[in-house]
């Protein structure tokens, strides 16, 4: 292996041994403007808000707050750009999208550090999951751009026009990729808004989109909170809204677009059931439970937040789970050894703490490992609740944090009934060595995504989305193209 002068290993890649990950050479500006019509421009009313590092609550940068006037400018730029962008051949469009994918790969380290700094997630996750998946998403849909006639044979698919996209704070860059890549591949132009606590990687993405040479106005990125989002939703020249976020805001958007020409897809909350049968590979299942609920601090709409364990193995699974939880490292998101990072915002921490209180008041029995949480910033210990029942609020409502409820079951019918008994229908997981049982369960569970002997695995080729109050429409795979086209 090559060595540096000081005899340390040559750092060919950025996965190296010192922790925490250094922020040297990571360009973070003091102030971020809006990306409209191929330029970074100041918001018309001149307002900015702070984006904080959730592991310290210190300010990282100021971010522009777009008002309805700025949103209008972005929509007008997108409308104008649509005239020529929609007429380009799929092959030409694909070239730009491939370029964006490659630029994300080239800047992967920068993206990963900024994602963890601004959002609180462990660097291992942003480095190994979020950023590579975001690049893959652009690669995958770039490949479809010139094959739409094969995706929709004999149907003559056409782009819709200006698409408004509103994304959440849990997977900021990845959600931007899920939204932008299929919209661009199908010939639409976009106004995208990241969540107010995690704007920085979307703005970094704006920089590389600019660098890709894509024509001005094809992608516009506006920052701000709910009012900015509402201005996109209510703009008359927007032809489609794609939203990922809370069920409450999703319902508001559905009402706001009802009776208009706007197409809509919603990816909302969840309360995923993770079901462990007595014949499962128990150690593997315990790892799966950990990943299902503690991945990204539980800020995951498809998290396996309700565990159902077959009664005969419940004691052993819970014991092993507690032991494994003792080994989890909670702390600095930039430390590559960290398993659980910071809660994304003070507000979200309050929500989670409130649910923990509710769980205790409802009579649940809590378990948290012995861990020293850092003093500053937003932190929550990984938490289990046993002795809970179907009617408990912590079993029914989405907590969006590292809090798992555990219930037991005896029969397949019993667990299917319990698993389906929530307003949500996004995800589920089944752990069994018996293939027939696995297939039976996948037919019976009311969820858009069902994992078998694994959990929280994502791939650009695979459709993702919910049923019931978890929303409608699919992202990913061939299915993910459909919401962005119309037919003659
Ligand atoms: P959470 O409650 O977990 O913060 P939200 O659903 O509020 O999640 O946020 C998801 C995204 O929706 C964010 O980008 C947020 O700014 C945006 N948003 C919030 N309120 C509205 C609204 N009324 N209309 C459109 N977008 C909104």
């Amino acid at each position: 292996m090559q060595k540096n002068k000081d005899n340390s290993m040559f750092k060919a890649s950025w996965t190296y041994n010192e922790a925490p990950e250094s922020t040297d050479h990571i360009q973070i500006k003091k102030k971020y403007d809006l990306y409209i019509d191929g330029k970074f421009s100041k918001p018309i009313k001149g307002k900015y808000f702070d984006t904080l590092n959730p592991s310290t609550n210190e300010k990282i940068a100021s971010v522009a707050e777009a008002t309805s006037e700025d949103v209008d400018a972005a929509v007008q730029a997108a409308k104008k750009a649509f005239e020529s962008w929609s007429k380009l051949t799929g092959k030409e469009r694909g070239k730009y999208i491939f370029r964006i994918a490659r630029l994300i790969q080239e800047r992967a380290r920068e993206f990963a550090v900024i994602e963890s700094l601004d959002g609180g997630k462990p660097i291992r996750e942003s480095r190994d999951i979020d950023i590579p998946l975001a690049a893959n998403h652009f690669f995958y849909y770039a490949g479809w751009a010139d094959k739409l006639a094969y995706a929709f044979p004999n149907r003559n698919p056409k782009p819709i026009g200006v698409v408004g996209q509103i994304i959440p704070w849990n997977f900021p860059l990845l959600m931007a990729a899920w939204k932008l890549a299929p919209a661009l591949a199908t010939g639409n132009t976009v106004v995208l808004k990241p969540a107010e606590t995690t704007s920085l990687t979307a703005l970094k993405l704006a920089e590389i989109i600019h660098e890709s040479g894509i024509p001005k106005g094809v992608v516009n990125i506006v920052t701000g909170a709910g009012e900015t989002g509402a201005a996109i939703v209510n703009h008359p020249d927007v032809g489609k809204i794609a939203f990922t976020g809370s069920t409450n805001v999703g319902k508001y958007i559905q009402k706001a677009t009802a009776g208009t020409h706007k197409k809509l897809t919603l990816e909302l909350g969840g309360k995923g059931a993770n079901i462990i049968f007595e014949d499962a590979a128990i150690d593997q299942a315990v790892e799966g439970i950990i990943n299902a609920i503690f991945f990204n601090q539980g800020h995951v709409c498809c998290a396996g937040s309700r565990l159902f364990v077959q009664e005969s193995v419940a004691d052993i699974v819970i014991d092993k789970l507690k032991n494994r939880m003792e080994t989890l490292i909670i702390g600095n998101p930039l430390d590559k050894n960290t398993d659980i990072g910071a809660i994304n915002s003070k507000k979200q921490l309050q929500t989670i703490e409130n649910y923990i209180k509710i769980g205790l008041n409802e009579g649940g029995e809590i378990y948290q490992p012995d861990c020293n949480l850092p003093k500053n910033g937003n932190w929550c210990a990984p938490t289990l609740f046993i002795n809970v029942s179907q009617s408990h609020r912590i079993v029914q409502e989405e907590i969006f944090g590292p809090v798992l409820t555990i219930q037991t079951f005896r029969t397949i019918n019993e667990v299917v009934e319990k698993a389906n008994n929530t307003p949500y229908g996004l995800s589920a997981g089944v752990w069994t060595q018996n293939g027939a049982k696995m297939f039976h369960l996948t037919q019976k569970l009311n969820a858009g995504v069902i994992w078998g002997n694994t959990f929280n695995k994502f791939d650009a080729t695979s459709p993702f989305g919910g049923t019931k109050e978890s929303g409608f429409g699919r992202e990913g795979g061939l299915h993910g193209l459909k919401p962005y086209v119309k037919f003659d």
Side-chain angles (χ1 to χ4, degrees), residues 293-312:
I293 184 63
F294 301 130
F295 171 55
N296 199 25
Q297 297 73 248
H299 301 328
V300 183
C301 47
C302 54
S305 50
R306 289 179 302 149
L307 178 65
F308 294 98
V309 193
Q310 201 156 20
E311 211 171 79
S312 53

Side-chain angles (χ1 to χ4, degrees), residues 166-169 193-196 224-226 229-230 233 243-246 249 252-253 347-348:
I166 298 166
I167 58 171
W169 43 262
K193 189 192 88 63
E196 54 274 31
V233 170
F243 172 78
T244 299
S246 61
V249 175
Y252 164 83
I253 292 176
K347 182 176 154 235
Q348 187 56 26

Side-chain angles (χ1 to χ4, degrees), residues 14-26:
W14 63 282
T15 50
Y16 55 97
N17 288 327
E18 303 97 299
E21 176 59 39
S22 151
T23 51
D24 292 353
H25 312 299
I26 303 289

Side-chain angles (χ1 to χ4, degrees), residues 186-208:
T186 44
N188 298 280
T189 55
V190 177
V191 177
L192 177 134
K193 189 192 88 63
E196 54 274 31
T197 57
T198 54
S199 307
L200 296 189
T201 46
L203 291 163
K204 185 97 225 148
L205 183 63
E207 289 172 21
I208 69 152

